[in-house]
Amino acid sequence: MRAVILVGGLGTRLRPLTNQLPKPLVPIAGEALMSRTLRRLQRQGVRHVILAVQYLAEQFLAAYGDGSAFGLNLQIVQEPEPLGTAGAVRYALAQTKLLDAGPILVLNGDELTDFDVAQLWQAHAQTAGVATIAVREVADTSAFGVVASDEQQRVYAFQEKPAPGTALANTINSGAYVFAPAALAQIPVQGFAMLERDLFPSLLAAQAPIYAYQHSAYSQDIGTLAGYLAANEAVLMGRLPQEPVHGIQYAAGVWAAADAQISPSAQLIAPIMLGSGCVVGENARLERVVAWERVTIEAAASLTNVALASDVLIAHHATVEGLALG
Ligand code: GDD
Ligand code: MG
């Protein structure tokens, strides 16, 4: 299997965590989401990965090189300017001369998931479709692309973030697809185009067969603070057994690097992740906190639902709630 991973977004909703790191390189429970994704794909049988990069592109090359550390053949393609989710796929495959090389997996690069792409790949091979979309059921579709399909799983509508009350289904695009070359050929050769707003609607308008593959795997977009904290929580609480945490577990879901200095009087309420060099002062109270490296939380500070990038200092007695700080 060969995959293109879309990792070019600006990560605006996760600022300031994404001021210096592209979203897929942001650590989840102490390790970059991208590393977790590459390891999972290798485990599931993917051998060739093309990263479609844009924002802070050079960091992907520095971190992953040719992919050999992950047992993958990795290529990194940077668009000259953001081309959108469809334009980026087309550009990356054109640059690597793979546009006609058979079906290709395409993945959003900002999902923490244990979804098995091999199942999606097989499902696609069993249809005569030009594309297969991995979908899952959610209670609230508002932050997603809605995918409506019939009893044969044939898709008849794709609505990207539909207005309230207009969603045609409760199944959403979970950010993993297989495309046949015939579908890729419909992406304009030049300019900005999105899979969600351009390619799928135009394929459907032309009656091209697109199928949905429904799954119920864990899947969490990390692109907002709430999503970022939820993804950390899933790993820290052990809900994704294949995903390691790098640190010591002091209580269920309370993790810290071996060199973190935590006052015995501090109150830590799971999930907690404190990276290397973090310091927590006397009587500090932390609940649902993810701190990267060298973060100092002074005495009697109180933090709830907070993500802290490296080198942040929280002054004594400060109260912080529902914020990402950098
Ligand atoms: N190379 C490149 N170029 N990548 C891009 C570009 C671009 O111009 N624009 C976005 N991406 C990447 C992002 O980095 C991210 O990994 C992925 O494409 C999806 O973009 P997001 O901006 O995160 O989209 P979203 O979360 O609002 O919605 C998407 O994901 C949902 C599932 O989490 C859509 O695909 C929805 O339909 C879907 O339900
Ligand atoms: Mg996203």
Side-chain angles (χ1 to χ4, degrees):
M1 285 183 285
R2 181 179 283 141
V4 172
I5 311 182
L6 291 161
V7 289
L10 296 174
T12 50
R13 292 164 293 179
L14 203 52
R15 284 179 188 157
L17 301 184
T18 46
N19 283 355
Q20 270 132 48
L21 278 181
K23 183 164 55 170
L25 294 193
V26 161
I28 304 296
E31 185 180 22
L33 174 64
M34 190 77 241
S35 302
R36 297 182 181 278
T37 301
L38 293 178
R39 214 168 35 237
R40 171 177 61 92
L41 295 179
Q42 203 279 343
R43 200 162 61 221
Q44 295 174 347
V46 173
R47 291 295 171 263
H48 186 182
V49 170
I50 299 139
L51 295 183
V53 302
Q54 231 293 307
Y55 176 63
L56 300 175
E58 62 292 344
Q59 295 193 27
F60 290 95
L61 187 61
Y64 300 108
D66 65 359
S68 49
F70 287 80
L72 292 166
N73 168 13
L74 184 79
Q75 286 178 287
I76 298 178
V77 180
Q78 182 176 7
E79 301 140 59
E81 79 244 350
L83 292 174
T85 48
V89 171
R90 174 148 196 156
Y91 184 80
L93 291 174
Q95 290 295 308
T96 51
K97 309 216 180 322
L98 291 168
L99 263 177
D100 297 312
I104 182 96
L105 265 170
V106 174
L107 306 171
N108 285 351
D110 65 343
E111 303 265 331
L112 176 72
T113 179
D114 57 2
F115 174 60
D116 184 1
V117 295
Q119 291 181 6
L120 174 66
W121 186 265
Q122 279 155 21
H124 178 80
Q126 283 158 13
T127 72
V130 296
T132 303
I133 308 174
V135 303
R136 63 189 173 92
E137 265 183 38
V138 298
D140 176 6
T141 58
S142 59
F144 299 103
V146 169
V147 180
S149 54
D150 66 17
E151 301 85 73
Q152 277 74 50
Q153 309 331 308
R154 184 158 169 175
V155 175
Y156 59 85
F158 191 111
Q159 307 168 284
E160 184 63 13
K161 308 201 178 95
T166 63
L168 295 170
N170 63 349
T171 38
I172 56 108
N173 166 25
S174 75
Y177 326 87
V178 177
F179 290 104
L184 302 171
Q186 299 306 311
I187 303 172
V189 179
Q190 295 211 323
F192 185 96
M194 286 176 67
L195 298 169
E196 300 89 339
R197 294 186 192 275
D198 303 307
L199 182 64
F200 288 125
S202 78
L203 288 173
L204 290 171
Q207 317 266 306
I210 300 176
Y211 289 89
Y213 173 75
Q214 191 162 341
H215 71 90
S216 54
Y218 176 86
S219 189
Q220 177 65 58
D221 174 303
I222 68 153
T224 60
L225 175 61
Y228 178 68
L229 290 175
N232 277 277
E233 175 165 9
V235 178
L236 296 171
M237 303 303 281
R239 274 179 223 133
L240 294 170
Q242 311 254 42
E243 298 298 340
V245 185
H246 303 277
I248 298 169
Q249 187 167 206
Y250 290 93
V254 175
W255 293 81
D259 65 354
Q261 297 170 41
I262 305 165
S263 162
S265 63
Q267 200 187 342
L268 304 183
I269 301 163
I272 298 283
M273 177 74 215
L274 300 168
S276 180
C278 287
V279 178
V280 179
E282 283 172 20
N283 297 313
R285 184 186 181 281
L286 278 60
E287 179 172 358
R288 278 190 113 226
V289 171
V290 175
W292 296 2
E293 296 187 346
R294 300 173 304 277
V295 168
T296 301
I297 299 164
E298 292 185 344
S302 172
L303 280 66
T304 310
N305 289 320
V306 170
L308 303 169
S310 296
D311 301 302
V312 164
L313 176 120
I314 304 291
H316 61 91
H317 294 88
T319 298
V320 186
E321 274 183 38
L323 270 186
L325 297 174

